[in-house]
Amino acid sequence: FGTSEYACREDFLLETDLAHPIKGPPGLVSLWQGEQMVLAYYIGYFSPKHSVFRYLECISKCYHYYKSRFAEKTLLVHFHGWSTGFGKVLLADVLRITQPSHIVEYYKNEVTHPEVLKETSSLLEGFFYSVTPKVTVSKSKDKNKGDLKFERANNLETYFGKVGRSIADTYTKLVPYSRFYTQLKIVLNGEPMLEELYPGLLGKVCGLCKVTDECLGIGIIRDINFETGLIYILAKVEDLSEAEVVQVVSGEGCLEMCKHSLWDEFFFGKFETEPQGMLFLTTMTDTLQKRHPPKKS
């Protein structure tokens, strides 16, 4: 833990870093065999603090899937660098779930693993063995990421494929795929959505999932045509074609594009002539509401 630049050489990787994963898109807890995603669950946030119990539950599911099928293979569990305060409790719980034989800590100022290993607080139910792993420490060489929101937006753009000169330009050039939305179950924060609320989904990042809750990948909802019954989602075509559920989360810390990066002359010009592209309009509306909130009745 403590770095997102580790080159995974182990047989399997359990990715638990929601903001800066080694492999795969942000917002997922996922199990990887080489470059193949074996199992994943959509959390939808950049930090586990916004969905703690689901986060730990999904880590447990991925770990037990690995343990029941590939226990003879080596597993790397990647955790982010949040190892103080509440992050320390989460890391201690991940150690209890995965029972590692080794810990590798990449630190910037001082090591934190002694305090993590002594942590007695837990959010888990039931009995778990304490762990006494071997520990290796190394000075982190991660570069200062600066603007974290911009960095996260870059991660999303990388997942979908960079084809433009900027993030905004990329999103205007990528072509979304469509499905009849009646074929999909669309849920917001775990609850089925009413059709009249669908316009609020425009521009949202979503998880494309099976009814079993397993996630296939992520997408961006670009448009909904109520006359044809089609929903347009920027995603990998194989993920959208196999999806049965579209999961969306809202609130602080949810996956979103850096809105400031969308104020681009090419982006604006594109949607001046294509009003059905609602992503820019959604961004503009959100900004206007923040600057000019509606009057209280």
Side-chain angles (χ1 to χ4, degrees), residues 249-270:
V249 299
S250 63
E252 181 185 358
C254 65
L255 285 185
E256 63 179 359
M257 293 165 291
C258 180
K259 293 181 179 179
H260 295 295
S261 68
L262 298 181
W263 290 95
D264 181 284
E265 58 182 336
F266 285 90
F267 196 73
F268 180 77
K270 181 79 172 180

